[in-house]
């Protein structure tokens, strides 16, 4: 059977032999293929369908906008643009209530860096190892990931610092005696490069496709202090962690620090239309009172995408999805720990809200686990040594349990296959 179309290219895969999921429809945490087979979506598509598949409130908002106005320029006022700005300002951290709309996550990151350079007049950007900020050349330049490899040389001006990843602490420090060498390391890197050349620190608040590790509780407060001392702007990439994914509206809401800018995307429309945004402080926005905001793309602030964002925020607020993510997240965290203990093939289990990751031991191939689970009707992402559990925030409790049961079964069977003598009860 011809499983894919002849005229379009699929991303991140070799075209030959690629067997795409043939998507026919979906609702809530489930989607179905053209053969009528149902899948439980533990990936929220690409960690973006936070409100679930084909949400009725979002569809209604988009439909209403289709009838009202579909075409507008990026520097034009539209009703939906004003409303989307107001709705976003209700949920972003205090003071971060000015927005530049973009096409998606990657160009939100790039625009945030451009703004930092315009505001500070400096060029360098401090970025982490093990980071991903998007597939465009600019966003890749700030990333450090296998997805960057074929595309360099990238622009100069990136200062790379090591991760505050306690489970694999680059300094070998035990958490109970840790005096934050990760922060001292950033400070030293800034001093070496000369602080007056550095426009911004750019980091994923909780590194999404890099194992989902959770930086220590005082990490961002300390970086904030460093930034304030040196006039450096703090940009957080909340493309994946935003809009309730981690049990709060944004990943940074778990920390007592405020960034100067956040890059937003994915869950901003729950995948119903392409959109991103740079959220910024009033101080930064005011820089462009008299001076031109020297950037923009043709389709930014597109009315249909903004209507999707508006419908998405309405659905999230009406249905209390952020709180739901927090509560279900506790259940997910407990189950992931249980799976770690029972299967013996998990090196580390991490979870914040409905974003969980299982780092597997070397003998188990995460891609194989993914394929086996997909055959059992559960769809999730695998990257590096990890599999990720990121269901839509609307998922029913019993569906969460069902999917986790399947994952446990698959891991259990692979653990028996790799250790035939072991009998886990
Ligand atoms: C943390 C993070 N930033 C940025 C991006 C890029 O977003 P987009 O694919 O919408 O351009 C991604 C995409 O996966 C991401 O995970």
């Amino acid at each position: 059977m011809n499983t894919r179309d002849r005229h379009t290219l699929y991303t991140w895969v070799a075209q030959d032999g690629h067997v795409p999921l043939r998507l026919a429809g979906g609702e809530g945490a489930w989607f179905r293929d053209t053969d009528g087979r149902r899948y439980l979506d533990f990936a929220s598509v690409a960690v973006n369908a936070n409100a679930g598949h084909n949400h009725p409130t979002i569809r209604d908002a988009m439909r209403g906008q289709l009838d009202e106005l579909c075409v507008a320029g990026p520097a034009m006022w539209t009703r939906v643009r004003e409303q989307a700005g107001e709705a976003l300002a209700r949920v972003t951290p205090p003071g971060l209530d000015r927005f530049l709309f973009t096409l998606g996550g990657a160009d939100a990151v790039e625009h945030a860096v451009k703004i930092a350079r315009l505001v500070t007049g400096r060029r360098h950007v401090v970025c982490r190892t093990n980071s991903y900020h998007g597939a465009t050349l600019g966003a890749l330049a700030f990333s450090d990931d296998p997805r960057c490899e074929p595309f360099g040389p990238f622009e100069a001006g990136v200062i790379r610092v090591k991760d505050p990843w306690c489970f694999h602490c680059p300094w070998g420090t035990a958490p109970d005696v840790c005096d934050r060498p990760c922060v001292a390391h950033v400070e030293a890197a800034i001093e070496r490069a000369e602080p007056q050349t550095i426009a911004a620190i750019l980091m994923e608040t909780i590194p999404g496709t890099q194992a989902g590790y959770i930086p220590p509780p005082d990490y961002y407060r300390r970086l904030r202090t460093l930034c304030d001392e040196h006039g450096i702007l703090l940009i957080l990439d909340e493309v994946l962690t935003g809009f309730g994914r981690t049990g709060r509206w944004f990943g940074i809401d778990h920390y007592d620090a405020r960034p100067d800018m956040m890059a937003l995307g994915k869950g901003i429309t729950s995948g119903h239309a392409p959109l991103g945004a740079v959220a910024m402080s009033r101080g930064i926005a005011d820089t462009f009172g008299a001076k031109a905001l020297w950037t923009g793309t043709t389709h930014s602030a597109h009315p249909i995408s903004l209507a999707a964002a508006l419908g998405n925020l309405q659905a999230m607020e009406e249905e209390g999805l952020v709180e739901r993510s927090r509560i279900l997240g506790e259940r997910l965290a407990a189950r992931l720990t249980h799976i770690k203990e029972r299967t013996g093939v998990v090196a580390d289990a991490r979870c914040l809200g409905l974003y969980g990751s299982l780092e597997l031991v070397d003998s188990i191939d995460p891609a194989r686990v993914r394929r086996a689970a997909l055959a059992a009707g559960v769809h999730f992402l695998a990257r590096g040594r990890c599999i990720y559990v990121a269901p839509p925030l609307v998922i029913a409790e019993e569906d969460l349990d069902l999917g986790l049961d399947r994952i446990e079964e698959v891991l259990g069977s692979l653990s028996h296959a790799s250790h035939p003598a072991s009998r886990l009860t």
Side-chain angles (χ1 to χ4, degrees):
M1 189 174 85
N2 183 16
T3 52
R4 66 182 171 85
D5 48 312
R6 291 169 48 211
H7 295 287
T8 76
L9 292 167
Y10 292 78
T11 56
W12 305 116
V13 291
Q15 309 302 297
D16 292 347
H18 174 55
V19 182
L21 278 165
R22 295 169 64 86
L23 192 65
E27 189 186 345
W30 293 84
F31 64 87
R32 63 179 188 284
D33 66 15
T34 47
D35 294 327
R37 189 145 188 254
R38 293 177 81 228
Y39 296 85
L40 186 52
D41 190 1
F42 262 28
S44 300
V45 186
V47 202
N48 57 342
N50 291 12
H53 289 251
N54 302 308
H55 195 291
T57 309
I58 307 177
R59 291 166 70 162
D60 283 349
M62 294 174 76
R63 223 178 266 125
Q65 190 61 43
L66 271 176
D67 291 338
E68 185 183 318
L69 176 85
C70 293
V71 182
M76 293 174 180
W77 177 93
T78 59
R79 188 185 57 86
V80 70
R81 174 186 181 124
E82 181 164 337
Q83 288 175 332
E86 280 167 5
L88 273 174
R90 279 204 305 274
V91 303
T92 46
L96 233 64
D97 60 359
R98 300 289 188 267
F99 306 99
L100 173 72
F101 290 114
T102 66
L103 308 176
D107 70 318
V109 168
E110 293 187 17
H111 277 103
V113 172
K114 284 177 82 173
I115 289 170
R117 287 177 173 168
L118 286 172
V119 168
T120 63
R122 307 171 179 181
R123 300 209 47 90
H124 285 115
V125 183
V126 176
C127 304
R128 277 203 294 245
T129 49
N130 293 303
S131 54
Y132 182 69
H133 297 291
T136 54
L137 269 182
L140 282 179
F142 306 120
S143 311
D144 179 35
D145 177 283
R147 286 168 279 189
C148 301
E149 269 160 28
F151 300 112
F154 296 113
E155 66 152 76
V158 172
I159 298 161
R160 193 70 63 191
V161 294
K162 293 180 191 164
D163 296 70
W165 186 353
C166 304
F167 185 70
H168 293 291
C169 177
W171 298 272
T173 312
D176 50 337
V177 294
C178 179
D179 57 355
R180 300 287 181 261
C182 48
V183 176
H185 168 72
V186 176
E187 190 169 10
I190 289 173
E191 292 297 346
R192 261 198 316 277
E194 296 179 1
Q196 67 277 13
T197 67
I198 300 175
I201 292 179
L202 163 67
M203 290 174 176
E204 290 169 77
T205 314
I206 291 148
T209 49
Q210 309 292 332
Y213 76 81
I214 301 161
D218 55 350
Y219 183 73
Y220 290 108
R221 179 168 51 74
R222 289 175 176 227
L223 288 195
R224 175 76 269 172
T225 305
L226 268 181
C227 285
D228 290 344
E229 275 170 21
H230 298 297
I232 296 168
L233 299 177
L234 181 58
I235 305 172
L236 293 180
D237 180 341
E238 292 266 0
V239 170
L240 186 143
T241 45
F243 300 96
R245 175 53 57 198
T246 68
R248 306 287 297 267
W249 275 102
F250 297 95
I252 194 60
D253 294 336
H254 293 278
Y255 295 86
D256 57 348
R258 211 189 73 193
D260 298 290
M261 283 185 265
M262 296 193 307
L264 309 177
K266 289 189 185 276
I268 193 170
T269 61
S270 283
H272 289 62
L275 184 71
V278 181
M280 66 192 93
S281 67
R282 286 168 215 181
I284 290 180
D286 287 348
T287 314
F288 302 104
K291 169 169 150 181
L293 176 54
W294 201 240
T295 191
T297 53
T298 304
H299 292 120
S300 63
H302 193 277
I304 303 295
S305 297
L306 293 176
L310 207 50
N312 179 53
L313 288 167
Q314 185 188 337
M316 293 194 71
E317 285 179 321
E318 282 174 0
E319 295 170 30
L321 294 185
V322 180
E323 179 61 3
R324 187 175 175 76
S325 170
R326 187 187 69 73
I327 293 167
L328 287 181
E330 287 171 9
R331 190 179 186 87
L332 173 60
R335 273 300 299 273
L336 293 179
T337 305
H338 169 90
I339 290 173
K340 173 175 183 263
E341 284 159 6
R342 274 189 67 91
T343 59
V345 295
V346 176
D348 193 28
R350 296 173 276 267
C351 190
L352 198 57
L354 283 176
Y355 198 64
S357 62
L358 293 175
E359 183 176 332
L360 304 182
V361 296
D362 286 346
S363 57
I364 303 291
D365 174 13
R368 191 168 161 214
V369 177
R370 178 181 182 275
R371 283 193 299 274
L374 193 64
V378 183
H379 170 246
F380 55 77
L381 302 176
R383 181 170 293 285
R385 296 263 12 106
C386 293
I387 60 171
Y388 296 92
V389 179
L393 316 185
V394 293
I395 192 169
E397 217 170 83
E398 56 272 25
D399 289 339
L400 183 64
D401 289 344
L402 176 77
L404 290 166
D405 289 347
R406 294 279 182 282
I407 290 177
E408 185 170 342
E409 279 159 28
V410 169
L411 288 176
S413 67
L414 291 176
S415 96
H416 286 135
S418 66
H419 305 290
S422 74
R423 299 221 51 83
L424 297 167
T425 51

